[in-house]
Amino acid sequence: MELTRRQVIALAGAGGAVLGASFPPWSLPWLAPLAVASFVVAVGRRPGLGAAAGLTFGAVHLGVASWWLVESITPAAWAALTAAQSLWFALLGAAVALLRRLRGWPVWVACAWSAAEGARSAWPWGGFPWGRLGHTALDTPWVGSLAVLGMAGCGTLIAFAGCGIAVFAMVLL
């Protein structure tokens, strides 16, 4: 079943909000794989729609997860940072749409997610690593992976778990 554009944007926005809730002050880290799953399902297999879903997901996620910056910088600077960082999610959405066509796509998507997080942590303005999946690992069953895999590896593991949930969800759709 193919989702309509409106459904894609709604699912991406909801997924972004769910991932934002994985971070303080809500601190519900077990939601992170579910958020990744909603992103992957929303993106679909069309790069243009995937980019729109990624942009929506990123704007909502980063808007929710970095709202605390408004107290430190101007609202305009916070909005600019959120918008610039959301572009990485748009690129990731387009890439995921293409990667979902490959065999073993959950592995490729998890790696692409980590690559996008790495790039987002470096650009713009020196990067903004807040909101990486690995940051959600505290107080979860996968916290032990931080010591072994580091932040990027733990994020890849969470993204892979989200892809597994997405596979299950797509079978049900």
Side-chain angles (χ1 to χ4, degrees), residues 8 12 39-58 86-101 109 112-113 116:
V8 164
F39 174 84
V40 171
V41 171
V43 161
R45 298 179 82 163
R46 297 188 326 215
L49 194 53
L55 186 66
T56 302
F57 181 94
S86 295
L87 294 175
W88 287 112
F89 282 97
L91 183 63
L92 178 62
V96 167
L98 295 172
L99 291 171
R100 282 193 43 199
R101 300 173 185 182
V109 168
W113 188 290

Side-chain angles (χ1 to χ4, degrees), residues 4-172:
T4 67
R5 184 173 183 81
R6 181 173 285 162
Q7 290 171 322
V8 164
I9 298 303
L11 182 58
V18 168
L19 187 55
S22 298
F23 295 90
W26 304 280
S27 300
L28 301 169
W30 48 272
L31 291 175
L34 296 174
V36 172
S38 68
F39 174 84
V40 171
V41 171
V43 161
R45 298 179 82 163
R46 297 188 326 215
L49 194 53
L55 186 66
T56 302
F57 181 94
V60 173
H61 159 53
L62 294 167
V64 169
S66 66
W67 65 270
W68 53 271
L69 277 174
V70 174
E71 308 243 343
S72 304
I73 60 177
T74 68
W78 167 78
L81 178 64
T82 299
Q85 291 284 296
S86 295
L87 294 175
W88 287 112
F89 282 97
L91 183 63
L92 178 62
V96 167
L98 295 172
L99 291 171
R100 282 193 43 199
R101 300 173 185 182
L102 301 176
R103 288 184 68 134
W105 66 262
V107 173
W108 295 111
V109 168
C111 291
W113 188 290
S114 286
E117 284 188 338
R120 197 170 62 76
S121 296
W123 184 90
W125 307 299
F128 188 67
W130 183 257
R132 291 180 71 161
L133 288 178
H135 290 148
T136 68
L138 299 178
D139 300 325
T140 65
W142 52 88
V143 69
S145 69
L146 275 172
V148 177
L149 302 174
M151 184 70 63
C154 183
T156 304
L157 184 66
I158 295 167
F160 184 69
C163 288
I165 295 168
V167 167
F168 182 72
M170 288 184 284
V171 167
L172 294 178

